[in-house]
Amino acid sequence: MDVQFFTAWIEEIARAVADGRDHLTRLDAAIGDADHGSNLDRGFTAVLAALAATPPETPGAVLTLTGTTLIRKVGGASGPLYGTAFRRMGAALGQGDADVTLAGLAAALDEALAGVRKLGGATEGDKTMVDALGPATRALAEAADKGMDAEEALDAARDAAEEGARATIPLQARKGRASYLGERSVGHEDPGAASTALMFRALRAVAGR
Amino acid sequence: MKKLINSADSVVTDALAGMAEAHPSLRVDVDNKIIYRRSAPVAGKVGLVSGGGSGHEPLHGGFVGHGMLDAACPGEIFTSPVPDQVIEATKGVDGGAGVLHIVKNYTGDVLNFEMAAELCAEEGIEVAVVLVNDDVAVKDSLYTAGRRGTGATVFVEKIAGALAETGAPLAEVVRVGTEVNARSRSFGVALSPGTVPAAGKPNFDLADDEIELGIGIHGEPGRTRAPAAPAREIARIAMDAVHADMPLTGDVLVMVNGMGGTPLIELYVVFAEVAAYVRDKGATLTRSLVGNYVTSLDMQGFSVTVCALTDELTRLWDAPVETPGLRWGR
């Protein structure tokens, strides 16, 4: 996975966020404040502009620029959280321009997960993006250990993220704005977990090209 | 949906342009979305910066001026500002005595202000934070993000701002701001939801004969739903929640705040009930505020905020203030 791959991933996320904007906003309207789709869309539109203005030359630089731009443009909780996730991944991949292995990607995602957990204070089961990011990261690491090829491994990561997002439906939120609703947050998919699953779908889609 | 907007994407900057035209006492950086007091930075004075999502006007930009905030950073509608705004505003109001960030307790506001404060500290600006979390509708527990910051934000900004105006050092301004928050409680009720321009439709559905209890200020649903009732009963529900958390006693400052879509006459109906409740509990209503101060776009409803006053807090509340949203004594 080279710099073109990671650039294509971010572009695919931007396209999917634009397409899924209303869906994400509807999920957020149920248990939050109805802006998750529009905030991420604004953020990734800015990311596309930043990538086009100064195309990064390494995989790490693509992800770092993505994260920095999200922090600068999104606001809310999702800006710092996704921004930190991408910046941590970028830092973990370092400054080299070598192809990233599955194990390397899994390690970078593990850094992203640690960063998100530290910043937001959420653990799995709190009904947040961590409920998708955690299982997907583990699934990718296991797949890499088993020596699966990229498409199989990213299938597993995507499936784990989607399953994790679905599994937030019966949960009561303990972090973020949905937690104010108490028991009324039960029965709704967490929008942050849903957008995380979208990013893993985009990753798998790019690997299949 | 009918709204007085040009486009959903430009609401915040279009409104900032209007504030700039209307208030010569302010300096509005429309591009970076920062509202400054024209005299900022005031040499030797602690600078006060607040901010948060837009849609709560006059909070926060309407409270920039003499005796209150030095700068406000409005984010998109109901979305916290980004760190760049807060960093720029902090630098712009630093008069050498340090800068206080007044932050409402929402995950997004806290994270973005934290990131900004870290970067400002690295550049040598002394930054302190007062976190506002006065909403008794949310249990402060491991199972929530903690109590929301709502009406008490106005009290903290006014009283800390008054103390800063006297040239008090940062630690003192932090102390008094923290004390105001600790002595304040709020509870909100909605009769109808608000409509975010970008969403184009109300955030939740509420039948004609239903009200939503324990709402926040971002159009999110509240804790429970209840049948509509006379103002007296609704006021009692709100005040019972406040009183259960902080028994009413001594001198109190009470604000009955409109959520944006409720006529002032109804707010006064509620205030009469709230005042009777306070008297009935044996407390003394010595200061009051009735109007739209912390709104939630066009939501109908009100919130009530009570602050248990001390002599010092009363004196600072009475001190001169000159902002678009609050103005007296000058």
Side-chain angles (χ1 to χ4, degrees):
Chain A
M1 293 174 277
D2 57 9
V3 63
Q4 277 82 25
F5 176 89
F6 283 96
T7 305
W9 179 32
I10 301 303
E11 288 168 352
E12 178 61 19
I13 292 174
R15 196 194 58 71
V17 163
D19 284 354
R21 170 186 163 127
D22 291 345
H23 174 65
L24 291 172
T25 291
R26 265 197 306 279
L27 292 178
D28 195 25
I31 55 173
D33 57 350
D35 63 5
H36 191 52
S38 46
N39 283 345
L40 282 189
D41 192 22
R42 189 177 64 252
F44 276 96
T45 300
V47 169
L48 289 186
L51 290 175
T54 45
E57 291 174 2
T58 67
V62 170
L63 300 179
T64 300
L65 179 59
T66 298
T68 303
T69 307
L70 291 176
I71 290 173
R72 296 186 60 170
K73 296 296 178 187
V74 176
S78 55
L81 290 169
Y82 275 125
T84 296
F86 282 103
R87 281 176 55 89
R88 286 281 196 116
M89 287 181 78
L93 295 183
Q95 293 173 359
D97 57 5
D99 277 9
V100 175
T101 62
L102 279 178
L105 181 59
L109 279 167
D110 208 42
E111 277 295 311
L113 177 62
V116 167
R117 289 185 52 158
K118 179 162 180 276
L119 190 62
T123 56
E124 282 179 43
D126 284 347
K127 199 176 181 107
T128 70
M129 59 190 281
V130 170
D131 292 324
L133 185 56
T137 300
R138 281 195 300 277
L140 188 65
E142 283 167 23
D145 272 355
K146 287 182 193 156
M148 287 185 188
D149 68 27
E151 293 191 20
E152 280 179 304
L154 294 174
D155 267 345
R158 176 202 58 201
D159 291 350
E162 289 183 337
E163 179 52 36
R166 267 195 303 277
T168 62
I169 294 173
L171 296 176
Q172 177 171 335
R174 289 193 294 236
K175 283 283 181 290
R177 208 164 268 174
S179 73
Y180 303 139
L181 272 68
E183 290 173 3
R184 291 175 88 186
S185 64
V186 171
H188 302 278
E189 184 175 351
D190 179 67
S195 58
T196 297
L198 173 153
M199 292 175 194
F200 281 95
R201 272 198 298 279
L203 187 59
R204 172 63 185 83
V206 171
R209 281 177 191 166
Chain B
M1 175 196 66
K2 284 176 278 189
K3 283 198 180 284
L4 290 170
I5 61 175
N6 296 314
S7 81
D9 291 337
S10 67
V11 176
V12 175
T13 45
D14 288 355
L16 285 176
M19 286 201 75
E21 296 285 358
H23 302 295
S25 62
L26 304 177
R27 180 164 57 82
V28 182
D29 179 344
V30 175
D31 291 338
N32 291 311
K33 292 193 287 188
I34 304 171
I35 298 165
Y36 295 98
R37 170 177 172 168
R38 185 161 290 285
S39 55
V42 181
K45 186 184 97 68
V46 170
L48 270 67
V49 175
S50 191
S54 292
H56 307 304
E57 294 67 28
L59 192 81
H60 296 271
F63 299 135
V64 174
H66 179 91
M68 227 166 155
L69 298 178
D70 293 271
C73 308
E76 294 299 317
I77 302 270
F78 293 169
T79 301
S80 66
V82 294
D84 285 7
Q85 281 171 276
V86 180
I87 293 164
E88 180 86 9
T90 303
K91 289 179 183 169
V93 306
D94 178 26
V99 176
L100 175 66
H101 289 173
I102 298 174
V103 182
K104 304 195 295 303
N105 188 34
Y106 297 96
T107 309
D109 289 34
V110 171
L111 293 182
N112 285 284
F113 270 91
E114 262 176 16
M115 288 187 155
E118 275 175 29
L119 287 166
C120 288
E122 281 170 18
E123 294 192 26
I125 302 176
E126 195 184 357
V127 177
V129 178
V130 170
L131 196 65
V132 184
N133 58 350
D134 54 309
D135 181 5
V136 301
V138 177
K139 283 203 191 88
D140 190 10
S141 79
L142 289 173
Y143 303 105
T144 68
R147 286 186 163 168
R148 297 175 283 219
T150 59
T153 315
V154 179
F155 297 172
V156 172
E157 291 177 358
K158 167 68 187 81
I159 291 173
L163 185 62
E165 210 65 56
T166 68
L170 181 59
E172 274 295 287
V173 180
V174 170
R175 175 192 61 78
V176 89
T178 305
E179 185 179 359
V180 172
N181 177 60
R183 300 176 75 92
S184 298
R185 301 289 188 279
S186 294
F187 190 88
V189 178
L191 309 186
S192 73
T195 299
V196 176
K201 56 180 190 295
N203 264 22
F204 55 89
D205 298 316
L206 208 49
D208 269 357
D209 56 354
E210 283 181 327
I211 59 174
E212 189 86 17
L213 300 175
I215 50 138
I217 54 174
H218 298 93
E220 66 270 45
R223 298 287 291 191
T224 54
R225 201 160 273 198
R232 181 170 300 132
E233 286 168 39
I234 300 175
R236 187 185 305 122
I237 292 169
M239 290 303 289
D240 277 346
V242 167
H243 181 66
D245 202 82
M246 183 182 75
L248 297 171
T249 176
D251 291 352
V252 293
L253 157 64
V254 177
M255 172 172 74
V256 166
N257 167 62
M259 302 307 293
T262 293
L264 203 48
I265 190 169
E266 293 179 29
L267 298 181
Y268 276 108
V269 170
V270 171
F271 195 80
E273 303 301 336
V274 167
Y277 187 103
V278 167
R279 214 170 287 124
D280 184 56
K281 297 294 179 196
T284 310
L285 177 63
T286 57
R287 297 291 184 277
S288 58
L289 200 58
V290 182
N292 296 293
Y293 296 101
V294 185
T295 58
S296 185
L297 292 173
D298 51 353
M299 178 182 270
Q300 288 184 316
F302 74 98
S303 63
V304 59
T305 304
V306 176
C307 177
L309 290 168
T310 62
D311 289 346
E312 180 191 32
L313 299 188
T314 301
R315 198 170 61 247
L316 292 169
W317 178 257
D318 288 344
V321 59
E322 189 173 356
T323 69
L326 281 187
R327 186 184 295 250
W328 59 70
R330 240 163 90 93

